[in-house]
Amino acid sequence: MKDRTRFTRYDGGDPLAPPVDLAEALDAIGEDVMAGYSPERAMREFLRRGGRDQAGLDDLARRVAERRRELTSRHHLDGTLEEVRELLDHALLEERKQLARDAMMDDADRAFREMQLDAAYPQGGPPSTAAAVSELSSYDWQSREAREDYEKIKDLLGRELLDQRFAGMKQALENATDADRAAVNEMLGDLNELLEKHARGEDTPEDFEEFMGKHGDFFPEQPQNIDELLDSLAQRSAAAQRMLNSMSPEQRQELMELSQQAFGSPELMDQLARMDANLQALRPGEDWGGSERFEGQEGLGLGDGTGVLQDLADLDELGEQLSQSYGGARMDDVDLDKLARQLGDQAAVDARTLQRLEQALRDSGYLKRGTDGQYRLSPKAMRQLGKALLRDVAERMSGRQGQRELQRAGAAGDLSGATRSWAFGDTEPWHVPRTMLNGVLRRAGDRHGPMLSIDDVEVQETEARTQAAVALLVDTSFSMAMDGRWVPMKRTALALHTLIRSRFRGDHLQLIGFGRHAEVMEIEQLTALDARWDKGTNLHHALLLANRHFRKHPNAQPVLLIVTDGEPTSHLEPDGQVYFSYPPHPLTVAYAVRELDAAGRLGAQTTFFRLGDDPGLARFIDQMARRVDGRVIAPELDDLGAAVVGSYLGSRRPGAGAGYGGYGDWFGGRGFWVGD
């Protein structure tokens, strides 16, 4: 028995490549989640778009579609018929030349032969090439070149028909001998017997091994079992049928008539028809009834055309896989071998990277499946997103005054016990044990390195001596979503939440969303909140909840931060019902003012963040802020996070309070302060 061990090219990607970077993916996913997408959909959207240096599914799908259009617009299916016509034209031309120059031939015989040729191939071409080939099958050719060309027609048809079912046969059987053709017929007979035996359930693995041992040279792909053999044969045979379906009725009829001349014997067609019937019965799920429309100028032979139809089927399958639009779709569904075959190795590398990225996102703990079966961002993912947003806020703040408030938080306070890596500009004391330990660990891998490197240094973090009770009130009304302020609002809340949880753990933060009514929200709930289309801005209810939060922490400094783009249009009635009126009802405004005054009596340092340019809103907010000696900031959306975080940090400075300023320069003219 032949050794059929298969060796294939390594396709595992670069073994030295670094692991996939999840930071960019997580940022994009978090942005989409805050815009209202589910984490699963947000991950799918990132995989579709790709990253800065990474092709996405949409790009790969576009290339698949372009490849498909290229194949159908470049080719047509008359290649074999055209080749047969060329051979027939040349044969008749050579034969007529021979008849004209043969002086020894009897004139009557010459006239009879010319009449035979004219009958088979009249002036202007035959009505049917197949009919001409058939009529000339018994003609006694006088020209050796003409006879050879005619025999080439029969040989070509046989090789093309075999090439339709067995890729590479056209080239392999060129200049084949009678023994070679007999071997093909024997293989087809044995193959049909094996297929029919398999259909009856009577075959054994030994039958397959015996067949491959005898005829394995006809199958360079070296199938390992009967199912692999069936799959490859059925896919090719179905493509051949789709090619036939794609031809015009006249082309099909002519091709079927020509096929009877293959190798000069109808036996080949009988065996192939028998094989096709067996394969269709064993693999009915293949596409046997499809067709394609070809509009190009380049003719395709039967074998090449079948290959193109297979390519089109592969491209359709890849298009479906890359769409990821079906239930339970995963990147692992993408056939990398087919992708490399159709679009090149780089496309397969891009798809493999996306597969690794999807798997890493699922395995890293950034996504967790809830009790309802839906994915959600995990606390780990929320922390990572918050850190990224906080870094962005720090860059905006430091870029305007050269300050590094986030790194210097609590520098004048007590040691918190936490440490962090030293960064340029830090003035905190070194944590010597951690610094020395880092040096020892580094030298364990690099004995010739310095005893101590700047990268080894860690500094001690400190906490401010004062505590704050922070209430961040964010408008969740209809206008926030309509005017594109929904995501910046969420990013701001997450940045402030991360800052307090990581740097000011002694502070007490409460997030309050207020639309038609107000509610206290966890950060996960707020970031996943879908846009609300109910009209209403219930600042009264939000201030009630904020004052309750301040009273729960009587020893903390109250800090009230209000983000809104509209005047209050709803309030709570004494019975708990929500009252809505637009334009704002005087009672609604009075209730909001009453609760704001209560916050002022509790000592709250109040900052309004006004979004939008409505003059009426500007006047209202300005008057509200003056009642409690508060401040008004009108930042652009990109600077909202920096404005809120900066106001919070300012409220924690000694002496911060009424009239405190100093952050206006952050906005460089893109925003302004009111009410200092």
Side-chain angles (χ1 to χ4, degrees):
M1 183 180 69
K2 292 185 179 181
D3 181 9
R4 295 189 290 104
T5 302
R6 291 185 293 182
F7 295 91
T8 59
R9 181 177 57 181
Y10 172 73
D11 62 355
D14 183 1
L16 302 179
V20 292
D21 182 10
L22 297 181
E24 182 185 8
L26 188 59
D27 287 346
I29 290 171
E31 193 80 9
D32 284 344
V33 167
M34 285 189 273
Y37 288 14
S38 69
E40 180 78 11
R41 181 184 173 192
M43 180 178 68
R44 293 286 166 212
E45 287 298 317
F46 177 77
L47 294 175
R48 295 189 67 81
R49 294 191 302 263
R52 287 185 298 271
D53 302 314
Q54 169 65 46
L57 291 173
D58 282 346
D59 181 66
L60 293 174
R62 174 186 57 77
R63 293 167 60 189
V64 164
E66 288 176 352
R67 171 68 175 157
R68 198 184 196 288
R69 284 194 297 271
E70 176 194 358
L71 290 176
T72 55
S73 63
R74 190 175 72 194
H75 299 295
H76 66 82
L77 302 180
D78 271 350
T80 297
L81 295 176
E82 289 176 351
E83 197 169 352
V84 169
R85 291 189 192 104
E86 289 177 3
L87 287 171
L88 183 59
D89 287 341
H90 190 263
L92 291 171
L93 178 61
E94 292 299 323
E95 180 67 9
R96 287 192 169 98
K97 287 181 181 179
Q98 178 64 30
L99 293 178
R101 64 173 172 256
D102 189 350
M104 304 300 296
M105 181 178 292
D106 182 71
D107 289 342
D109 187 23
R110 180 183 293 107
F112 177 71
R113 290 178 180 278
E114 289 177 348
M115 187 171 58
Q116 283 183 290
L117 297 178
D118 290 339
Y121 202 97
Q123 286 296 112
S128 167
T129 303
V133 172
S134 178
E135 287 188 29
L136 293 172
S137 61
S138 58
Y139 179 77
D140 181 18
W141 299 90
Q142 299 299 299
S143 167
R144 178 177 58 83
E145 292 85 355
R147 184 182 302 108
E148 290 176 353
D149 283 341
Y150 185 78
E151 292 299 324
K152 285 180 183 178
I153 292 175
K154 295 189 289 186
D155 184 67
L156 171 68
L157 291 169
R159 289 186 292 120
E160 287 279 18
L161 288 169
L162 286 171
D163 201 40
Q164 271 194 304
R165 277 75 172 185
F166 307 93
M169 277 289 197
K170 182 178 180 180
Q171 291 76 25
L173 290 178
E174 193 170 6
N175 301 319
T177 64
D178 290 339
D180 295 329
R181 298 188 186 96
V184 170
N185 282 327
E186 182 181 8
M187 181 273 293
L188 289 173
D190 291 346
L191 175 61
N192 280 318
E193 289 181 8
L194 177 64
L195 297 180
E196 289 161 2
K197 197 172 184 180
H198 181 73
R200 297 191 300 269
E202 299 173 357
D203 65 315
T204 64
E206 289 73 20
D207 292 331
F208 172 77
E209 294 294 341
E210 180 182 354
F211 174 81
M212 291 301 297
K214 186 177 180 181
H215 303 296
D217 292 340
F218 289 100
F219 305 93
E221 65 274 15
Q222 289 294 299
Q224 297 296 292
N225 52 55
I226 184 67
D227 288 320
E228 288 188 13
L229 176 65
L230 275 171
D231 289 340
S232 63
L233 288 174
Q235 289 168 7
R236 186 82 179 176
S237 181
Q241 182 61 48
R242 290 196 301 276
M243 181 180 180
L244 196 64
N245 299 342
S246 303
M247 294 179 174
S248 66
E250 295 78 11
Q251 288 174 322
R252 281 197 297 272
Q253 180 63 30
E254 194 163 2
L255 184 61
M256 295 305 295
E257 292 176 5
L258 280 172
S259 300
Q260 299 301 321
Q261 304 296 321
F263 290 148
S265 169
E267 182 180 357
L268 174 65
M269 280 302 297
D270 293 341
Q271 290 281 24
L272 291 177
R274 179 183 169 194
M275 184 188 78
D276 288 342
N278 287 328
L279 292 173
Q280 192 162 356
L282 290 167
R283 289 292 186 270
E286 293 289 338
D287 183 9
W288 299 92
S291 62
E292 296 289 344
R293 182 179 179 85
F294 292 86
E295 300 174 339
Q297 302 298 318
E298 185 178 322
L300 287 172
L302 297 181
D304 291 339
T306 299
V308 168
L309 266 296
Q310 274 193 297
D311 287 341
L312 292 175
D314 287 348
L315 291 169
D316 287 341
E317 185 176 349
L318 286 170
E320 177 70 14
Q321 293 168 359
L322 293 171
S323 74
Q324 298 281 286
S325 59
Y326 49 91
R330 297 286 294 267
M331 277 302 304
D332 288 342
D333 299 340
V334 179
D335 191 322
L336 298 181
D337 290 334
K338 287 183 180 178
L339 195 62
R341 196 161 55 243
Q342 298 298 333
L343 300 184
D345 291 338
Q346 184 57 46
V349 171
D350 290 336
R352 186 183 298 111
T353 302
L354 292 175
Q355 287 180 345
R356 292 169 56 208
L357 186 61
E358 180 192 47
Q359 192 61 44
L361 284 169
R362 295 184 185 278
D363 294 344
S364 63
Y366 288 131
L367 301 179
K368 65 176 183 179
R369 195 182 292 275
T371 55
D372 58 357
Q374 299 298 316
Y375 277 103
R376 292 181 174 84
L377 292 180
S378 67
K380 178 181 178 182
M382 297 299 296
R383 288 193 298 271
Q384 191 72 17
L385 282 172
K387 289 178 182 178
L389 293 173
L390 208 50
R391 283 194 299 270
D392 179 65
V393 167
E395 289 173 1
R396 291 179 179 276
M397 293 169 66
S398 63
R400 288 171 170 82
Q401 282 193 326
Q403 297 179 356
R404 304 176 64 253
E405 291 293 336
L406 301 185
Q407 299 296 330
R408 298 168 57 86
D414 298 325
L415 296 178
S416 67
T419 66
R420 57 179 169 78
S421 298
W422 178 88
F424 179 77
D426 281 336
T427 59
E428 290 83 357
W430 286 18
H431 192 286
V432 177
R434 289 290 304 176
T435 299
M436 298 303 298
L437 177 60
N438 291 338
V440 171
L441 293 175
R442 177 180 49 74
R443 280 179 54 81
D446 181 14
R447 296 189 178 185
H448 301 291
M451 292 292 296
L452 193 65
S453 167
I454 191 63
D455 294 331
D456 300 330
V457 177
E458 292 197 20
V459 296
Q460 303 183 61
E461 290 190 331
T462 57
E463 290 183 349
R465 293 185 177 91
T466 60
Q467 287 185 330
V470 185
L472 175 61
L473 282 55
V474 290
D475 193 339
T476 59
S477 63
F478 166 77
S479 58
M480 289 286 286
M482 182 179 64
D483 294 332
R485 297 161 184 153
W486 197 253
V487 173
M489 174 270 291
K490 291 184 178 182
R491 290 169 61 91
T492 298
L494 182 54
L496 182 62
H497 177 273
T498 303
L499 174 63
I500 292 176
R501 290 293 182 266
S502 60
R503 300 292 186 189
F504 299 97
R505 299 181 183 90
D507 287 359
H508 309 284
L509 172 66
Q510 187 167 85
L511 301 174
I512 300 172
F514 63 99
R516 200 174 187 91
H517 67 279
E519 61 179 310
V520 176
M521 295 183 174
E522 296 296 328
I523 187 62
E524 294 83 4
Q525 180 185 2
L526 179 60
T527 53
L529 186 67
D530 287 337
R532 293 180 171 179
W533 304 104
D534 292 335
K535 295 181 179 180
T537 305
N538 199 332
L539 182 59
H540 167 237
H541 192 187
L543 289 169
L544 276 171
L545 296 176
N547 289 335
R548 182 186 302 172
H549 174 61
F550 296 150
R551 293 187 183 100
K552 286 182 179 179
H553 305 283
N555 297 322
Q557 169 62 53
V559 178
L560 179 61
L561 308 172
I562 305 171
V563 179
T564 185
D565 70 345
E567 300 173 72
T569 55
S570 63
H571 66 265
L572 284 184
E573 293 282 4
D575 60 359
Q577 297 297 313
V578 173
Y579 175 85
F580 170 79
S581 173
Y582 183 84
H585 192 279
L587 189 60
T588 300
V589 175
Y591 278 161
V593 169
R594 186 181 68 185
E595 288 305 318
L596 182 66
D597 289 344
R601 288 192 296 273
L602 291 172
Q605 298 174 10
T606 303
T607 306
F608 286 88
F609 300 90
R610 174 171 58 80
L611 304 180
D613 300 322
D614 179 57
L617 174 65
R619 288 192 298 270
F620 173 78
I621 295 291
D622 184 35
Q623 293 171 5
M624 292 280 280
R626 291 183 186 279
R627 290 185 66 89
V628 290
D629 291 330
R631 298 185 300 276
V632 179
I633 304 176
E636 289 197 0
L637 287 178
D638 290 346
D639 287 317
L640 178 60
V644 172
V645 170
S647 182
Y648 162 72
L649 291 174
S651 70
R652 307 189 88 266
R653 287 176 175 266
Y660 177 80
Y663 292 93
D665 290 340
W666 284 351
F667 303 103
R670 300 178 64 196
F672 54 90
W673 292 71
V674 182
D676 279 353

